[in-house]
Structures are given as structure tokens and as C-alpha cells.
Amino acid sequence: MIGITQALTGGCQCGAVRYRLKQAPSRVSICFCRMCQKAVGGYFGAFAGSALDDLVWTKGQLSIFASSEAAERGFCSSCGTPLSFSYRGSGRISVTAGSLDDPAAYPPTLAHGVEGRMPWFDDLCRLSGSSTEGDIPPGEIARYRSRQHPDQES
């Protein structure tokens, strides 16, 4: 895991919104509830939680959607990347774990909303697979060059 003395940073896909955590996340979780599924466009949301005061937005402006009376979700209005979740007034916020520059550093330790877990979810890791570049014909690789903001600021 990344030590709390190192910069813990992340941001959106296009790089318009960036953040830094002053401390390591206190809890990393996934949520299978239907609201999180729709918010991230996937089968679950993955979140790294911390005190609100430990999160600094270092670039750009976060856009907010109030997904319920209690909760709000932040995202980049330029590229649409989901970036945060918080219960209003709680003093806590979670960044989306996939938006961390090093998402592998903090594996989830807790699951929420398990009633929304797909019945076939346990089978996913047994699917056959290939690498990203393995699916692209060699003469086409240049067309697939990423325009995504690089992890870490240069």
C-alpha cells in the first residue's frame, strides 16, 4: 500500500478535474445497490472513503448531482467520469476507487448493497480473457492510442 507520506492523487479521464488525499483512505468498499450501478455505469461502485477535510481538489471544478435527498455524487462535466460520493452533512466523502492514480494500492474490504449483486458475479473471474492490445489488429494500434490523462501529474 502507498504510505500516507506519499501524494495520493487521482482525477477524471480527461484530466480536467484532479484531487489529492492528505491521508490514506480510511475505508475502501464496493456497493452493488442499483443507484451505484447506474451512477458508475457498471455492476458496482468502488469507493475510497476519507474525512472531507482530507480531500483537496487541485484542478478544475467538480460538478454535483444530488442522487437522493441524502446523497450527492461528483463528476467531471467535461468527460463524465464519476469522481465522488458523499452523504450531505456527514463530514466524509468517498472518491471513486478507479479514479485513483494507483487504484490497486487500496483493495476493497467491505461490500454494501449486496441485494443488488448479480447472481453470476462470482463467475466473472473465471471468464476466459485477453489483453487489451491482444484484441487490436497490429496495423490498427495507432488508432487506439489513449487520449486519457496520464495517471500522476507530470
Side-chain angles (χ1 to χ4, degrees):
M1 286 195 181
I2 294 174
I4 60 175
T5 57
Q6 293 178 301
L8 184 55
T9 55
C12 67
Q13 188 172 19
C14 73
V17 180
R18 299 281 300 159
Y19 63 82
R20 179 176 53 84
L21 292 171
K22 296 178 191 174
Q23 300 288 326
S26 57
R27 179 173 49 193
V28 180
S29 62
I30 59 175
C31 184
F32 294 98
C33 83
R34 188 64 182 131
M35 194 176 294
C36 284
Q37 289 171 352
K38 290 193 78 128
V40 302
Y43 299 120
F44 61 90
F47 303 98
S50 66
L52 187 58
D53 292 341
D54 285 340
L55 176 64
V56 178
W57 297 100
T58 59
K59 182 179 178 187
Q61 181 70 37
L62 189 69
S63 294
I64 300 292
F65 172 68
S67 58
S68 72
E69 290 297 316
E72 57 188 29
R73 296 170 189 271
F75 63 96
C76 172
S77 62
S78 293
C79 67
T81 301
L83 291 169
S84 70
F85 170 86
S86 65
Y87 288 112
R88 284 188 236 138
S90 70
R92 296 195 49 78
I93 191 166
S94 294
V95 295
T96 51
S99 72
L100 290 164
D101 288 338
D102 186 7
Y106 292 98
T109 59
L110 184 64
H112 300 285
V114 296
E115 72 283 355
R117 187 180 314 172
M118 300 295 140
W120 39 259
F121 194 79
D122 290 340
D123 298 331
L124 291 178
C125 291
R126 290 187 287 280
L127 294 174
S128 63
S130 62
S131 68
T132 303
E133 288 189 1
D135 291 335
I136 302 171
E140 302 249 342
I141 288 180
R143 283 184 356 123
Y144 289 84
R145 192 186 91 241
S146 176
R147 293 181 181 163
Q148 181 169 299
H149 185 272
D151 292 336
Q152 306 292 331
E153 291 294 328
S154 46

